[in-house]
Amino acid sequence: MLSLAHIKKSFGKTEVLKDVSLSIKKGEVVVILGPSGSGKTTLLRCVDFLEKADSGTMTISGTTVDLHRAKRSEILDVRKKVAFVFQCYGLFRNKTALGNVALGLTVSRKMPKEEALKKSKEMLDWVMLSDKYDSYPSQLSGGQQQRVGIARAAVLNPDIILFDEPTSALDPELIGETLQVIKRVAKTGITMVVVTHEMQFAKEIASQVIFMEDGYIVEEGTADEVFSSPKESRTKQFLSRVLPPEYNL
Amino acid sequence: MNDFLSVSRMITAFPKLLASLSVTFEIVAIAILVGLFLGIFIAIIRMFRIPVLNQVMTVYISFMRGTPLIIQLYLVYYGLPMLVYNLFGVDINGWNKLFFIITAYALNEAAFLGEIIRGAILAVPELQTEAGYSTGMTYFQTFIHVVFPQAIRIAIPSFSTDLIGLFQGTSLAFLLGAVDVIGKARIVGNNSGHVLDTYVDAAIIFIVISVLLEFIFHKIQKRGDVVYGKLQN
């Protein structure tokens, strides 16, 4: 349903993605692990054209686009299939929670306002924010903001949702509620790619795990394979540092 | 020396000056509206670095910000009729003085407001635009629904400073013969031989209105904080 081929991306002289290819099946929950600076976030951003890759192609729901030379209409088309959850939430500061969720529906999906508001309210209820429809982002806690961010992504009914370290900006107390909502999203069967440093969560949610380092995919496999018997020494080393000791790699 | 300032003379002159306030307001209102309109174009030209126009606007802004207002007033007053005559063969020398005065202030405002608007748009974090893209909106849709409303909020304090500055700045218009508050103060003062009275009157009018404007904008700002939520983070 989503496949990436030979993606390369440099920022100035720094090569962030060196040659990344991967393929994701419908309904999979892919967790990308790896140390900071390994290119995880850049990879996600390239998929949604928030960053323009230097080269590479992507096939999404049957359509193939060149990540470097995509036309504006192709980019818009991809963005309608992909939703993104940002590390720092990125809620529209001039819109209420309800306005944030509904804006994409009314403006980009051209849905009638009534219907959009109804759907958005349902979605906010679903992320447990029924009492926050009219709150502005500044009046919400980090965890609440991120749940609005998730609702905003999920309401668009995309083919795939990309989560870019969705809990990294949250304090420990608020991480739980956010992870709970992400798990809920995963249970709906939607295809997801999640970049995260929350190992326990990754283990629970992932069907596939990708380990990235230094602009390459070092290892990929099912969650079980990668977590309990990683093949590559670098993956082992990384996991032994971040997983609780009982894993005993 | 006891005739230095007379409250009774000040009180008599006051209504006459107040009557001329409409001229001051006319200059301010039209200059700010035209300035805003042109300023939005200047901001867009500068933000998207539209070739040629961008360079022209950069020079234009440097000129407007780098020369005294009085020179700009004279340039428009004496220069514009010549320019129009040479280009179109139309003689506009006889037109109302206020036309030239307002044009000069509007052109000056365009430069300053253009920079205020540009700065405010640039002050909206990139993440807001990216979030717009991620929900499938185009650049234009994101700009209209997300970036521009936030930019307006950001621009309000600078805009209010600019507006009050313009209001004070209109006091130069009398040099071209406008009978605004200052012009009237001069005429009434000269006739009675007591210019100080009328200038103090004018000072009171300016101070009261400036404080009032500041108060109003403060209220708008506060209201925005309640309605929109504070725009931090």
Side-chain angles (χ1 to χ4, degrees):
Chain A
M1 104 120 260
L2 173 76
S3 66
L4 305 172
H6 308 294
I7 297 186
K8 291 181 186 165
K9 170 74 188 170
S10 302
F11 292 111
K13 284 192 175 142
T14 321
E15 273 186 88
V16 184
L17 297 175
K18 288 174 183 164
D19 183 4
V20 175
S21 301
L22 61 84
S23 153
I24 295 168
K25 290 193 206 71
K26 196 168 159 49
E28 270 185 347
V29 176
V30 177
V31 168
I32 305 182
L33 303 174
S36 295
S38 56
K40 311 180 295 287
T41 293
T42 307
L43 183 65
L44 285 198
R45 289 172 60 84
C46 285
V47 171
D48 208 11
F49 288 98
L50 298 178
E51 216 73 73
K52 194 184 210 174
D54 299 333
S55 63
T57 55
M58 166 165 79
T59 305
I60 178 163
S61 312
T63 326
T64 303
V65 286
D66 184 314
L67 285 180
H68 184 66
R69 278 187 285 272
K71 290 195 290 269
R72 197 187 295 223
S73 58
E74 290 176 313
I75 293 178
L76 270 177
D77 204 44
V78 167
R79 284 185 181 147
K80 287 189 177 165
K81 295 174 178 167
V82 178
F84 203 100
V85 175
F86 294 88
Q87 180 175 1
C88 298
Y89 334 125
L91 296 188
F92 306 127
R93 302 181 300 177
N94 56 324
K95 300 270 176 205
T96 60
L98 190 58
N100 264 276
V101 180
L103 192 62
L105 289 177
T106 52
V107 176
S108 104
R109 303 292 197 271
K110 310 267 181 267
M111 190 184 275
K113 204 168 176 191
E114 293 277 300
E115 197 188 338
L117 287 179
K118 188 169 162 277
K119 259 190 106 171
S120 303
K121 282 179 184 167
E122 284 167 12
M123 194 52 76
L124 281 172
D125 297 344
W126 196 68
V127 298
M128 301 171 289
L129 288 172
S130 337
D131 53 337
K132 298 291 180 190
Y133 292 166
D134 300 322
S135 303
Y136 284 89
S138 61
Q139 298 162 327
L140 297 172
S141 74
Q144 291 167 337
Q145 289 192 54
Q146 191 58 297
R147 283 187 274 149
V148 176
I150 293 166
R152 179 175 72 180
V155 81
L156 297 167
N157 197 20
D159 294 349
I160 186 165
I161 304 184
L162 311 175
F163 292 81
D164 179 20
E165 300 195 30
T167 58
S168 297
L170 299 174
D171 63 70
E173 253 186 309
L174 300 175
I175 289 177
E177 61 184 42
T178 309
L179 294 182
Q180 200 188 334
V181 166
I182 298 174
K183 280 182 207 160
R184 257 185 128 161
V185 178
K187 279 198 195 111
T188 63
I190 193 163
T191 316
M192 290 170 38
V193 180
V194 186
V195 169
T196 185
H197 292 296
E198 295 291 323
M199 288 303 147
Q200 191 55 42
F201 165 70
K203 256 201 88 224
E204 284 173 45
I205 199 176
S207 57
Q208 290 287 117
V209 173
I210 289 174
F211 180 73
M212 279 185 77
E213 181 171 52
D214 201 21
Y216 292 108
I217 291 180
V218 175
E219 178 159 3
E220 53 189 314
T222 65
D224 248 14
E225 283 165 11
V226 177
F227 277 113
S228 38
S229 50
K231 292 192 284 276
E232 303 293 328
S233 60
R234 184 60 185 104
T235 318
K236 261 181 224 168
Q237 191 191 10
F238 178 81
L239 290 175
S240 69
R241 280 186 200 147
V242 295
L243 284 178
E246 64 264 26
Y247 279 85
N248 218 352
L249 288 167
Chain B
M1 216 36 209
N2 51 7
D3 208 22
F4 184 63
L5 257 186
S6 145
V7 173
S8 70
R9 275 202 310 264
M10 275 172 62
I11 292 171
T12 338
F14 201 74
K16 294 178 191 162
L17 266 62
L18 267 188
S20 296
L21 197 54
S22 63
V23 177
T24 303
F25 282 162
E26 189 184 339
I27 298 172
V28 171
I30 301 177
I32 207 91
L33 287 178
V34 177
L36 262 180
F37 184 74
L38 296 176
I40 289 172
F41 280 101
I42 293 176
I44 291 170
I45 288 169
R46 298 255 290 158
M47 277 188 55
F48 293 100
R49 302 204 172 84
I50 295 169
V52 187
L53 284 179
N54 182 29
Q55 284 77 1
V56 173
M57 284 311 148
T58 310
V59 173
Y60 176 77
I61 289 166
S62 300
F63 178 79
M64 285 301 177
R65 298 215 287 195
T67 55
L69 192 52
I70 181 75
I71 291 178
Q72 296 167 20
L73 278 164
Y74 279 131
L75 276 179
V76 172
Y77 190 59
Y78 295 113
L80 192 62
M82 278 196 249
L83 187 72
V84 170
Y85 188 76
N86 284 329
L87 286 180
F88 307 106
V90 183
D91 184 12
I92 60 167
N93 249 317
W95 285 18
N96 191 335
K97 280 172 184 167
L98 265 184
F99 169 78
F100 297 101
I101 292 166
I102 291 172
T103 303
Y105 281 108
L107 291 176
N108 179 272
E109 277 304 305
F112 280 86
L113 291 174
E115 286 298 272
I116 289 175
I117 294 165
R118 185 175 73 104
I121 291 171
L122 290 177
V124 177
E126 182 66 22
L127 181 57
Q128 294 288 314
T129 308
E130 289 182 355
Y133 291 160
S134 81
T135 57
M137 291 195 284
T138 61
Y139 176 80
F140 183 70
Q141 290 168 337
T142 307
F143 185 82
I144 294 297
H145 293 281
V146 178
V147 177
F148 195 65
Q150 292 184 30
I152 291 175
R153 285 289 319 286
I154 296 169
I156 285 174
S158 315
F159 178 78
S160 100
T161 310
D162 181 85
L163 180 64
I164 291 166
L166 169 66
F167 176 60
Q168 313 273 356
T170 56
S171 56
L172 286 177
F174 86 94
L175 287 166
L176 297 183
V179 189
D180 62 340
V181 175
I182 300 291
K184 196 73 176 182
R186 224 163 75 112
I187 293 167
V188 176
N190 281 337
N191 286 345
S192 69
H194 298 281
V195 275
L196 202 57
D197 299 332
T198 52
Y199 279 132
V200 173
D201 273 347
I204 293 169
I205 292 174
F206 272 90
I207 253 194
V208 168
I209 290 172
S210 295
V211 169
L212 212 64
L213 281 174
E214 249 172 82
F215 177 77
I216 291 168
F217 276 101
H218 186 71
K219 282 279 170 208
I220 293 175
Q221 183 88 4
K222 279 266 178 231
R223 207 183 122 84
D225 285 347
V226 175
V227 176
Y228 271 81
K230 279 211 174 72
L231 295 183
Q232 332 107 332
N233 73 60

